[in-house]
Amino acid sequence: LVGATPDEVVVGNSITVNIHTLIGTFLDELLAGNGPEREEMARADGEWDRSVEPAVLVNELDFPSDHYAIRAQLRQRGIDPDEKLRVVESRDGRTIDPRDIEAALEAHDDVGIVWMPTALYRSGQLFDVERIAAAAHEAGAYAGFDAAHSAGAVPHAFGDVGVDFAVWCTYKYLNAGPGAIGALFVAERHHGLTPALAGWWGHEKATQFEMRMTYTPADSAGAWQIGTPPLLAAAPLEGSVELLREAGIDRLRAKSLALTDFLIALVDDRLPDVSVGTPREHGARGGHVALEHPEAERLSKALTDRGVVVDFRPPNVVRVCPAAPYTSFADVLDVVDEIEAVLESGAHEAYATGAGGVT
Ligand SMILES: Cc1ncc(COP(=O)(O)O)c(C=O)c1O
């Protein structure tokens, strides 16, 4: 599904915890003077050389939890996140132009980690992982990705395109259900590092139960597991991943694009007050479509009450995700019928805004 060897992928923890441990691990590497083309960095030897404190490059449309975790990891190493979390801005409020990532790398030679999503959570813009990884490496930085919005929907080749590490969840396109366990990728060339959040479940498997007081990391991505995995949150993957494998990620992607093409065409044709905030080119969009409307919050509540499972993302986005394994073209048509009916009748005006919570 993500283009990795079995040793490079493991389930464990949650996305946010996996960001903590992976960003922490690779910051430690940078501070120790290691990293792509970073031999010139002074070895830390217990004292960090402030002039080479590594920065992490992110973007302003990221899922907020990523920034919280990265800021925390910088802080814990005595690095000021206000200075060293470098944020690429969006030109249009919906997407990130890859040229702006490259320009930020040109402008700042302290970037040690480029951390980007594979697909943006709000607009659904799909990033060019290979291009970003190449730019990061050329700048002497690691390339890490949050693949929450593409793993299981879009084929990836993390190993082949040089990704250093990545995280994703299994409760979106991997269909393991709410609260299901997280997953991560660490390229084989980094196996053997000591994770920032070390725990006994990441210990070398052959000797894990010898209960030694010293930690020997597993020689695989398994080292980034921490404690006992929540088996009830992992078990559904046995079924869901098998189904995805049987369907085939390329066929799922083809159907997903056909479903979202159909949705976009219907919206263009029938919903004049709704705009599509997702890029239209196939290569630039993931599996969901962002419908923009000034009353997006009320609209999403009205749709939910009519049995249409969408969600609202402030300020004006209703995310519609026709998951390929089980959504039909007739379902897409029904959703557009419902949106049209709600907006034409004004039914959404009966709903309050600002109640918060998960939608
Ligand atoms: C892109 C992205 N990153 C991170 C997270 C946080 O995931 P978790 O709550 O599993 O830590 C989410 C949650 O939806 C997300 O969509």
Side-chain angles (χ1 to χ4, degrees):
L1 293 173
V2 295
T5 65
D7 274 357
E8 290 177 315
V9 171
V10 76
V11 294
N13 320 311
S14 66
I15 292 186
T16 308
V17 172
N18 287 333
I19 295 173
H20 274 284
T21 186
L22 285 164
I23 293 285
T25 304
F26 286 92
L27 282 175
D28 285 344
E29 274 298 279
L30 292 161
L31 288 165
N34 302 322
E37 308 288 325
R38 289 227 148 210
E39 292 81 4
E40 78 281 7
M41 265 181 83
R43 286 196 79 83
D45 290 334
E47 277 236 320
W48 297 332
D49 179 347
R50 301 285 151 184
S51 66
V52 291
E53 275 178 350
V56 182
L57 188 69
V58 294
N59 78 75
E60 67 166 336
L61 301 178
D62 280 326
F63 194 82
S65 197
D66 294 37
H67 288 209
Y68 306 159
I70 295 168
R71 282 178 161 271
Q73 289 301 317
L74 288 167
R75 265 198 316 275
Q76 284 169 27
R77 285 159 183 78
I79 302 173
D80 180 1
D82 289 339
E83 205 186 315
K84 293 292 184 169
L85 188 74
R86 300 206 177 279
V87 185
V88 176
E89 287 179 6
S90 166
R91 298 181 190 203
D92 60 3
R94 294 167 170 152
T95 58
I96 297 295
D97 190 318
R99 289 170 299 180
D100 294 335
I101 299 173
E102 289 158 355
L105 289 169
E106 282 280 313
H108 303 287
D109 60 8
D110 59 354
V111 176
I113 300 175
V114 175
W115 178 255
M116 290 289 152
T118 52
L120 281 173
Y121 81 97
R122 202 188 277 117
S123 73
Q125 178 198 1
L126 188 67
F127 283 43
D128 184 339
V129 172
E130 183 167 12
R131 176 173 172 175
I132 295 168
H137 293 156
E138 201 167 305
Y142 293 111
F145 289 88
D146 179 337
H149 289 272
S150 65
V154 178
H156 283 298
F158 289 160
D160 287 347
V161 303
V163 171
D164 291 292
F165 57 100
V167 303
W168 60 95
C169 58
T170 62
Y171 52 70
K172 291 185 170 65
Y173 294 102
L174 288 166
N175 285 286
I181 195 165
L184 60 84
F185 163 89
V186 179
E188 191 178 349
R189 60 188 172 280
H190 302 305
H191 294 175
L193 295 179
T194 295
L197 306 184
W200 80 306
W201 217 264
H203 194 275
E204 178 188 67
K205 284 293 168 208
T207 53
Q208 176 183 359
F209 283 87
E210 289 177 13
M211 304 310 219
R212 300 176 188 164
M213 283 304 174
T214 50
Y215 172 82
T216 307
D219 195 21
S220 66
W224 281 268
Q225 289 187 312
I226 302 172
T228 308
L231 284 185
L232 296 181
L237 275 170
E238 287 253 359
S240 68
V241 169
E242 217 30 65
L243 282 176
L244 296 187
R245 278 217 192 101
E246 199 182 314
I249 188 70
D250 292 324
R251 286 171 63 215
L252 288 167
R253 173 65 170 160
K255 183 179 172 201
S256 161
L257 286 169
L259 286 165
T260 50
D261 276 344
F262 184 46
L263 174 60
I264 290 170
L266 289 172
V267 171
D268 286 344
D269 193 38
R270 291 181 35 198
L271 304 175
D273 297 333
V274 175
S275 33
V276 173
T278 302
R280 284 159 189 264
E281 317 87 80
H282 284 179
R285 79 172 190 257
H288 75 261
V289 176
L291 300 184
E292 297 176 353
H293 186 275
E295 293 286 357
E297 184 175 5
R298 286 179 159 141
L299 176 58
S300 72
K301 286 179 180 166
L303 290 170
T304 304
D305 276 353
R306 284 160 178 75
V308 181
V309 183
V310 293
D311 61 18
F312 163 64
R313 286 293 173 266
N316 65 343
V317 170
V318 178
R319 288 193 306 191
V320 183
C321 181
Y326 43 77
T327 307
S328 69
F329 292 85
D331 292 331
V332 173
L333 187 59
D334 282 348
V335 169
V336 174
D337 286 345
E338 291 289 354
I339 298 175
E340 187 178 52
V342 168
L343 290 178
E344 278 183 1
S345 66
H348 57 294
E349 287 162 17
Y351 291 82
T353 57
V358 175
T359 62

